[in-house]
Amino acid sequence: MLGRVNHIAIAVPDLAAAAAIYRDTLGARVSQAQALPEHGVTVVFVELENTKVELLEPLGADSPIASFLAKNPSGGMHHICYEVEDILKARDQLRQDGARVLGDGQPKIGAHGKPVLFLHPKDFQGTLIELEQV
Amino acid sequence: MLGRVNHIAIAVPDLAAAAAIYRDTLGARVSQAQALPEHGVTVVFVELENTKVELLEPLGADSPIASFLAKNPSGGMHHICYEVEDILKARDQLRQDGARVLGDGQPKIGAHGKPVLFLHPKDFQGTLIELEQV
């Protein structure tokens, strides 16, 4: 079911500072910051050779990463996104195996304009998993 | 400086259960468990198309992931490993930029038989970073 690792997301309290660390200290290629108000985050992409890291800063009052940053004020690894071919088939199979899909189970359009779903971290060793249909 | 994402490491309390979830529920290819007593972990590799996930279970009394699991009993994302061409050059450059290298700063031979170093999570938005020379 799992294809490529699309990205690893890291929640950060200060996006400009984090982007500077990845660009200047770690010598990686980083994108301009993009505000995604419909997702409650501003994002910078760190482009690696085989995948990417997404640095996420909360945007607006109801950011989905606000509670994570309240618990982890310095930031931290937030989720892993895997690509799948058919997100509805993946969802149904996962549910059949007893895994919990977050929200109402209907794929939303994610930060890359593609359908995504999130899986409950308690069913996956404390790791929040995003599935993205590619 | 950063090359490929070599792996994303997830600490788990029960390696057999975690491997079964990745194999059976998520439909990924997983390796046999390998005990690495010199690293204080038993590891299962989840082979994705472009990188891998390493599931780590503590092994022995002084496991480097024991305290993480004490704080996160269900498990969780533990570190990201990036490949670098020259680990000593990377280390010296990072230190010059004010980043802290863990331990005595001498690369150790990591789980893949290659020199590795870890960087202080406080200098990288709460993310433990491993560098591996390839």
Side-chain angles (χ1 to χ4, degrees), chain A residues 1-5 10 12 18 21 25-27 49-51 53 74-80 82 94 124-127, chain B residues 1-2 4-5 10 12 18 21 25-27 49-51 53 74-80 82 94 124-127:
Chain A
M1 178 191 300
L2 298 186
R4 299 173 75 256
V5 171
I10 299 178
V12 304
I21 290 275
T25 307
L26 291 169
E49 282 171 32
N50 57 336
T51 187
V53 165
S74 316
M77 283 183 273
H78 185 264
H79 68 263
I80 303 182
Y82 297 101
L94 285 160
F124 297 95
Q125 288 75 41
T127 300
Chain B
M1 178 190 299
L2 299 185
R4 299 173 74 256
V5 171
I10 299 177
V12 304
I21 290 275
T25 306
L26 291 169
E49 283 171 32
N50 56 336
T51 187
V53 165
S74 316
M77 285 183 271
H78 185 264
H79 68 263
I80 302 181
Y82 297 100
L94 285 160
F124 297 96
Q125 288 75 40
T127 300

